[in-house]
Each structure stands twice: as C-alpha cells, then as structure tokens.
C-alpha cells in the first residue's frame, strides 16, 4: 500500500455543544450571534443537539468568532475558570469518580474520545515534573486561541482547588499558542508560547496525589452521553454528511468544503477507500428515506425535502433508482407485508 493510501481520510470531529458556554457568553452581551455562526453553516438550535458533531476547523472558527463577539480578550480563560466540572460533560464523570488529581486527569484523558476525535490528551510524568497535554490532530493554519485558554483554565482550576492555600503558581508552566489570552499574573503561573497543535501544563508530580476540592453548583448534573465521536474516517464522514442531508446542494464540492479540504483531495482519498461522495450520499439518503417512509407520518414530498430533494418528482426517480420501487409503492408494500425489503 502506498504512503498516500496509508494516510486515509482524516476527518477529526468535535461535539458541537461543548462550545455552548461561548454561545451563551456572546448572547449575554446582546450580540447577534445568528449571522456569525451561520457563516459556518450553524444555527443556535444546533448547540442544543448533543449528538451533533462538527469538524475541528468549524469548531475552532466558531469558538473564536463567538469569543470575539463578547469583546473580552480573556473570554476563553474566564469561561474555563467559571466552568462547573460536574455539569460539563467531558469532565463530569471524572469529577464525580476521581479520588485524586491524577485520577481525574487520567479519567478525563481516557474518556475524551467520546466528545472529540480531533485531539488526544495525555498525562506524562518524568520524575518530579508532570505535563498534561492536549495534542490536536488537526488545526490547519488556524490559531485556536480561546480553545487553548479555556482548556488551560479548567485544568488550572482543578490543580488550584487541590493545593488550596498551599498554591505556588510559579511552579506551573502553561504553554499556549497565544499567551495574550491568559490574564497576566493570574494565579502567578508562568506562560510560554507554543505552536497551534495544542496546549500543555507542567506542574510538580506530587500534586497528582492530592484530592481536588471542586465546588458543584446548582446546575443540573451532566448525563453521560451514549454517542461518541467517530474515530475512523468513513463513519466520521457519514456523520458529517447526515447532518447536512437536507441541503439540496450537497455535492462533492459542498462536502469538501465541510471537510475543509479540496474537492480533488476528498475525491482521491475516498477513491482509496473504494467509495465516493455520490455513493455515500445515495446510501445515506436511501436509508433515511426508507426509515421515514415506513413510519407513515410524513408526506412523500416532506420526506424528499428532508433528504435534499425539494422536487418530489426528482425524489421519486432517485428512490426508484435505489430500490426499484416508487416511494408510494415502497410505503404501501411495507404497510401490506409489515416488512421492508432492503435487497436492492
């Protein structure tokens, strides 16, 4: 297999509602968030859907745009500092179960894949120093400034709570892509500049053994989410396309745009996986149409529109190409037999 084929189709995804604090912060200032997030194809209701994933570039652009709307250069850091770890899904389970700082950070690192296939968290101990790192698998030319600040702030909150009155900020080295997003002298930590590939915090290894003393607010505890970010290429692409299936202009160019890559690159990498955007879209649309038809609740025209066919006649031709039956015949056949046929 060629080296290029080994690369496969890298499509890192992140659960969108992790950015909910940024949306709420921007809206709280009275800013009109709708047109800003619409530029990346999102609406405010998308943030309420815990099963919606977006690509890493879309997430980074969204967070930066919302942070800019607040007018606060320290938005990411402030939100991370105010975070209730018991109500924020990625940390909630670890915060409830952990017996020590090390236990909490390790549990968080292990569970992070549920919310993002775009980063890898690691805890590395070398003698009396330990480093907690977020390594991004993709950032492109973006500088996720407020993403760094947010992550640093909630880890510092965990460490500070464990040390309480014995806190020594000078023993902590924070590395972020833009040090300007960290308030000067906050907690007395040292701040260094690093690349765009993720933040890190280095601190004394002895702190790993301490018990974090975290305050739980009155916010409803976060429930453990059952869905998780796809970690392999085709499932990730299918999740992304399924979320945009209603778009009648969803084609190779549009999917390439959503993946933040060129149309030629996307087509080539899918060919290496023996598929194409058209083949994947046909499968997704067929399955979605079949599922909707057997419920008997939506009109055929509405079902067509929901999968990107505003013209009912075009939907009918496509469905017949997929299954050999018209949508009406497929629905009637299911009602008659109580079974849908998927041999086509």
């Amino acid at each position: 297999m060629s080296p290029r084929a080994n690369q496969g189709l890298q499509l890192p995804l992140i659960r969108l509602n992790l950015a909910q604090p940024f949306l709420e912060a921007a809206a709280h200032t009275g800013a009109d968030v709708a047109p800003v997030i619409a530029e990346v194809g999102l609406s405010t209701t998308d943030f309420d859907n815990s099963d919606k994933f977006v690509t890493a570039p879309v997430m980074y652009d969204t967070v930066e745009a919302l942070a800019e709307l607040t007018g606060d250069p320290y938005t990411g850091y402030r939100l991370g500092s105010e975070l209730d770890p018991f109500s924020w899904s990625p940390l909630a389970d670890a915060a409830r179960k952990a017996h020590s700082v090390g236990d909490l950070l390790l549990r968080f690192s292990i569970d992070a894949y549920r919310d993002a296939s775009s980063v890898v968290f690691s805890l590395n101990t070398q003698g009396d120093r330990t480093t907690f790192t977020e390594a991004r698998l993709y950032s492109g030319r973006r500088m996720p400034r407020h993403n760094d600040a947010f992550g640093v702030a909630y880890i510092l909150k965990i460490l500070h709570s464990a040390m309480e009155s014995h806190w020594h900020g000078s023993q902590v080295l924070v590395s972020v892509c833009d040090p300007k997003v960290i308030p000067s002298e906050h907690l007395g930590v040292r701040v260094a500049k690093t690349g765009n590939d993720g933040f890190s915090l280095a601190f004394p290894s002895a702190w790993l053994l301490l018990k974090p003393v975290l305050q739980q607010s009155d916010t409803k505890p976060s429930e453990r989410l059952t869905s998780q970010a796809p970690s392999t290429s085709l499932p990730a692409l299918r999740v992304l396309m399924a979320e945009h299936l209603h778009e009648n202009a969803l084609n190779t160019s549009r999917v390439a745009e959503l993946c933040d890559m060129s149309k030629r690159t996307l087509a080539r990498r899918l060919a290496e996986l023996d598929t194409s955007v058209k083949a994947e879209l046909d499968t997704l649309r067929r399955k979605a149409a079949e599922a909707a038809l057997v419920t008997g609740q939506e009109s055929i025209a509405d079902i067509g529109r929901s999968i990107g066919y505003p013209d009912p006649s075009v939907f009918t031709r496509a469905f017949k190409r997929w299954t050999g039956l018209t949508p009406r015949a497929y629905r009637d056949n299911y009602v008659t037999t109580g079974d849908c046929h998927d041999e086509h």
Side-chain angles (χ1 to χ4, degrees):
M1 183 178 292
S2 69
R4 188 178 68 182
N6 273 326
Q7 292 175 5
L9 174 65
Q10 299 299 318
L11 190 60
L13 296 181
I14 306 175
R15 196 184 303 275
L16 177 62
N17 73 357
L18 299 189
Q20 185 83 33
F22 288 89
L23 179 71
E24 293 173 354
H28 185 70
T29 66
D32 188 1
V33 301
V36 173
I37 60 177
E39 291 183 6
V40 289
L42 298 173
S43 67
T44 54
T45 56
D46 288 329
F47 288 74
D48 297 324
N49 181 1
S50 63
D51 290 328
K52 184 172 181 62
F53 291 87
V54 296
T55 59
V58 168
M59 182 61 128
Y60 299 147
D61 288 347
T62 300
V63 166
E64 292 302 311
L66 291 173
E68 290 298 319
L69 279 181
T70 68
D72 178 1
Y74 306 122
T75 293
Y77 191 89
R78 175 174 57 81
L79 293 176
S81 300
E82 297 171 353
L83 182 72
D84 176 3
F86 295 96
S87 64
W88 195 60
S89 175
L91 275 174
D93 200 51
R96 282 193 293 265
K97 294 180 178 179
H99 301 291
S100 66
V101 169
D103 187 19
L104 193 159
L105 294 178
L106 186 59
R107 288 176 183 271
F108 171 66
S109 300
I110 293 171
D111 284 347
Y113 75 92
R114 296 180 178 275
D115 298 287
S117 59
S118 61
V119 294
V120 174
F121 291 96
S122 61
L123 193 62
N124 181 31
T125 298
Q126 293 185 324
D128 62 354
R129 295 290 287 177
T130 290
T131 303
F132 181 80
T133 303
E134 176 201 67
R136 298 187 187 100
L137 303 181
Y138 179 92
S139 61
R141 294 182 295 276
R142 291 163 174 79
M143 183 181 285
R145 303 160 61 248
H146 290 280
N147 179 91
D148 275 6
F150 183 83
V152 161
Y154 67 70
I155 300 300
L156 279 176
K157 181 175 184 175
I158 291 168
L159 296 176
H160 187 256
S161 75
M163 290 299 295
E164 295 183 307
S165 61
H166 301 291
W167 173 258
H168 296 288
S170 61
Q171 294 180 294
V172 180
L173 175 63
V174 167
S175 299
V176 291
C177 63
D178 182 6
K180 293 179 182 178
V181 296
I182 308 296
S184 60
E185 302 302 321
H186 188 76
L187 294 179
V189 302
R190 293 175 292 147
V191 182
K193 180 176 174 57
T194 186
N196 297 344
D197 297 329
F199 68 82
S200 67
L201 293 92
F203 53 91
S205 297
W207 294 9
L208 293 172
L209 304 177
L210 301 175
K211 181 177 177 61
V213 186
L214 300 169
Q215 298 283 326
Q216 184 171 6
S217 71
D218 295 332
T219 307
K220 181 181 178 182
S222 175
E223 296 179 359
R224 189 175 181 86
L225 300 172
T226 56
S227 65
Q228 64 187 54
S231 58
T232 54
S233 54
L234 272 181
L237 180 67
R238 288 163 183 160
V239 167
L240 184 66
M241 290 195 297
E243 291 172 351
H244 294 266
L245 212 55
H246 61 282
E247 298 181 14
N248 62 337
L250 190 62
N251 51 26
T252 302
S253 296
R254 173 62 174 146
V255 173
E257 178 186 351
L258 292 170
C259 295
D260 199 49
M261 64 179 64
S262 71
K263 178 180 175 181
R264 179 177 296 181
T265 297
L266 176 63
R268 185 186 72 241
R269 292 182 180 174
L270 285 176
E272 292 168 354
L273 298 171
D274 296 321
T275 187
S276 66
V277 169
K278 184 180 183 304
E280 294 299 322
L281 284 175
D282 276 353
T283 299
L284 287 170
R285 284 174 168 150
R286 176 180 66 83
K287 289 181 177 179
E290 289 176 345
L293 284 167
V294 300
T295 66
Q297 296 175 353
E298 294 180 89
S299 70
I300 289 173
D302 285 342
I303 292 172
R305 279 191 289 271
S306 72
I307 62 169
Y309 291 101
D311 185 335
S313 63
V314 176
F315 169 50
T316 295
R317 288 197 298 272
F319 192 84
K320 191 170 183 179
R321 173 168 56 85
W322 298 331
T323 67
L325 298 172
T326 65
R328 188 171 303 281
Y330 186 92
R331 172 174 276 173
D332 290 344
N333 185 57
Y334 180 86
V335 170
T336 301
T337 64
D339 186 25
C340 64
H341 301 287
D342 193 31
E343 68 270 17
H344 299 280

